[in-house]
Each structure stands twice: as C-alpha cells, then as structure tokens.
Amino acid sequence: MRIGIPSEVKNHEYRVGMLPAGASVCIAAGHEVWVQSGAGLAVGCDDAAYTSVGVHIEPSAETLYGQCDLIVKVKEPQAKECEWLRRGQLLFGYLHLAADSKLTAALCDRGVTAIAYETITDRHGRLPLLQPMSEVAGRLAIQAAAMALTKPVGGKGVLMAGVPGTAPANVVVLGGGVVGANAVEMALGLGAQVTVLDTSVERLRELAALFGPRLQTRVANKQTLLGLLPRADVVVGAVLIPGAAAPKLLGYDDLKKMQPGTVLVDVAIDQGGCFESSHATTHEHPTYIREGIVHYCVANMPGAVPLTSTHALTNVTLPYILRLANEGLPAARNDALFAKGINVHDGQIVNDVVAKALAL
Ligand code: NAD
C-alpha cells in the first residue's frame, strides 16, 4: 500500500503523522511511504531524514492526496484538504467529528473511509490513541502551574518545590485519570504537597497504591473541595465524563475562597472546562486573571511540545497504521475495538456515538 503523510496545515499544529523510524518499519513491511516536503521540520526531521530510510518526498499536497491509498494525519483535514480526498481512500487521524457536522458532511461527500484515532478503544474500554496526549497534558499542567505561580504573571510567588526551610506548593488535582495521575506524578516529583480527588474510590485505591502515603486521596464532593481551597496554591481540573461536557466543579463565587495568586489549570477546557470562570486560551496568551486567580486554560496543551507529542503519538499509532497497510480496511472492520474508529464509510456515518451526537 502507498501511505501518504501530508504536512499539517491547521493553525499552530507542528506534529507530524509519521516519523522516519515509523516510515522505515512500513517500508520494511513492503509498503511505500510518501511524505510531503517539510512535513517533519517542526519536530526536527528534515526531508533527508525521511529519504535516508527510503521515503519518497512529494512537494505537492494535492499530488500526495491524489496518489496515496492511506493518508495518515494528526489533525482533522481542513476544507482544502477535504477536496483532495476520494472514494476508496483510507484517512487515519484525530477527527473529532461529533463536534463538526460540516467536516462530517464533507467526508461523507468525498466517499473516503475516515478512521478516527479518538474513537478506537482497547480491551479495557480505554482510548489508546488519546492516552499519550493526556499523559503529555497532565505532566505539562504542573510545568504550566509552576510558571503561573510566579509573581510576574500574577501568581502568589511560590516556588513549587520550595527550598529547605520553606513550605512547598500545595497542589489539588481534580480527577485521577490519565491526566490527573500524570499531574500527581509531576507535582510529587517536584516535592509539592498533593491531594487528588476522584468520584471513583476504586481509582483512588489504585493511585494510593501507586504513589504511597505522600499522596493524599479524597472522594470528590463539593464540600471536600471547598475545604481544600483556602490552602491550595494550584488546582488542576482533570475530570472527564465520557461523551459529556465537563461538570462545573467551581463556580464564580468559589474564586473568593482562594487566596489571590492561586493558579487554576483547567485541562478539561477542551470539554468545556470544569471551572465556571474558565475560557479557552492559547499558547501565545495562556493565562488570564479573574478575581485575583490565575487561570491557565489552553485547549491544545500537547501542541506546546510537538517533539515529545509526535513521538508519544506515533509510538501508539504505528501498529494500527501497519495493520491498515497490510490488510486494508478489513484490519479495522474485523476487529471490534479497531472498528470503533471507523467514523465514515461510503458516504455514511458508521459510528453510533458520532451519529447520535450529530443528530442532537
Ligand atoms: P480519564 O477518563 O482518564 O480521567 C477522568 C477522571 O475524572 C476519572 O478518573 C473520573 O473518575 C474522574 N471524574 C469524573 N467526574 C469527576 C468529578 N466530578 N470529580 C472528580 N473526578 C471526576 O480522562 P483523562 O484522559 O485524564 O482526561 C481528562 C480531561 O483532560 C478530559 O476532559 C480531556 O479531554 C482533557 N484533556 C485536555 C487536553 C488539553 O490539551 N487541554 C489534553 C488531553 C486531555
């Protein structure tokens, strides 16, 4: 099969769908890999890095789309790219169609088979191609919080780790899933005092076993959370109710219960945010202050570290790409968990969750 890797054209998207190491694996398996010229530059892979493993470099995106059987991307195709997709072709990438009826209509119109990273599941019911980005976001949340705590950007002026003879930062993490656990790990690693809240006692048991007595665990409810706010330096919002908007765990009035300069990091902002006072921000202007509280609400946090994010993402996508290249669409169709990724086929929406979301 001929696999095509176009340059990402979405604003501020620096990741790439395949690295030279992955391309070499596909080529060794008997496939052709075409990469658009310059596609890997932002993550340190120039065209020569690809040609050295046998990749064909294609200057024109239109030709690449026209000539390849399987298009592997990071972000959803933009309007111009949709025009180049065609019937019988496989498209594999993050699509987020449930929130985008226009793109869904365009993909149906083109007759392409669109397989979404974010709806493929594993046998534990997890989303294996989303997990690495949650890992990145969870770890980055603490780095972002550490910077936001500094005085020049409106923070309390607390050093996350403290120094001998001073108290470290007090970090509260709401939601102990993938993002939450990674935030906990980073905050503990820096020496912060950390409390994690989750509605699932089972999950708290797992975290307690993983991190030991240095981590405080609490069952999430409003009263417990309010009790933690006056002493918190950082509150990380990392909750998820699958398929639903994030629940609002703190209202505008609750901001007054925190000391000025406290930092809220709303990682769940991509699902609407879990603080009433949150609105999405960008990497250029990541924070704003409301009622003296510093808010960090970047909706695409992994975009700040495209090098790490591309490696983390392609580590998990490559086995799926290889299966698609080796067997074609049956690779996904004949595996119930992989099949959950097929969102559009032959002009129809074939994923029930996406169809239901778009019907609303
Ligand atoms: P996850 O499913 O692994 O974990 C979510 C956790 O939240 C679960 O343990 C669940 O029990 C808990 N939870 C649900 N409701 C709760 C409540 N009311 N109080 C406390 N805990 C509650 O999800 P995840 O992968 O960790 O993702 C968390 C959020 O981060 C999602 O909204 C996801 O979309 C978002 N995210 C954002 C970015 C970004 O760039 N901003 C990147 C990756 C993920």
Side-chain angles (χ1 to χ4, degrees), residues 14-158:
Y14 303 106
R15 291 171 290 179
V16 64
M18 189 181 284
L19 290 166
S24 73
V25 172
C26 293
I27 291 165
H31 305 291
E32 260 184 59
V33 179
W34 286 27
V35 172
Q36 191 179 344
S37 182
L41 277 180
V43 293
C45 298
D46 60 8
D47 291 351
Y50 284 102
T51 52
S52 71
V53 298
V55 166
H56 167 81
I57 297 293
E58 174 53 53
S60 152
E62 185 172 1
T63 307
L64 183 135
Y65 274 89
Q67 297 295 317
C68 293
D69 313 297
L70 165 61
I71 299 291
V72 177
K73 279 181 68 32
V74 178
K75 295 306 281 185
E76 69 279 5
Q78 306 298 291
K80 187 75 207 163
E81 296 175 296
C82 285
E83 290 173 22
W84 299 327
L85 294 167
R86 58 181 163 77
R87 189 165 295 276
Q89 196 172 39
L90 297 172
L91 169 69
F92 192 38
Y94 287 124
L95 298 176
H96 299 291
L97 297 185
D100 196 338
S101 54
K102 211 169 147 193
L103 174 61
T104 309
L107 295 178
C108 288
D109 202 39
R110 301 305 299 167
V112 68
T113 298
I115 307 175
Y117 289 166
E118 72 274 6
T119 57
I120 291 173
T121 55
D122 67 14
R123 61 197 163 85
H124 307 289
R126 293 182 302 225
L127 304 169
L129 304 194
L130 267 187
Q131 186 163 345
M133 295 306 103
S134 287
E135 291 169 343
V136 169
R139 289 173 185 226
L140 207 50
I142 299 303
Q143 285 184 210
M147 284 313 296
L149 271 176
T150 61
K151 204 70 182 168
V153 293
K156 271 185 188 174
V158 170

Side-chain angles (χ1 to χ4, degrees), residues 139-207:
R139 289 173 185 226
L140 207 50
I142 299 303
Q143 285 184 210
M147 284 313 296
L149 271 176
T150 61
K151 204 70 182 168
V153 293
K156 271 185 188 174
V158 170
L159 179 63
M160 181 79 81
V163 291
T166 71
N170 191 315
V171 176
V172 175
V173 179
L174 306 178
V178 181
V179 169
N182 278 275
V184 163
E185 186 173 0
M186 283 287 285
L188 285 177
L190 279 175
Q193 291 178 336
V194 187
T195 306
V196 63
L197 288 79
D198 203 295
T199 44
S200 161
V201 180
E202 196 49 47
R203 183 59 186 154
L204 292 177
R205 278 197 193 105
E206 289 170 5
L207 292 171

Side-chain angles (χ1 to χ4, degrees), residues 133-134 137 174-180 197-200 203 220 238-241 247 249 266-271 298-302:
M133 295 306 103
S134 287
L174 306 178
V178 181
V179 169
L197 288 79
D198 203 295
T199 44
S200 161
R203 183 59 186 154
V239 298
L240 176 68
I241 299 175
L249 302 181
D266 199 343
V267 186
I269 191 68
D270 62 338
Q271 301 291 331
V298 175
N300 64 332
M301 294 173 69

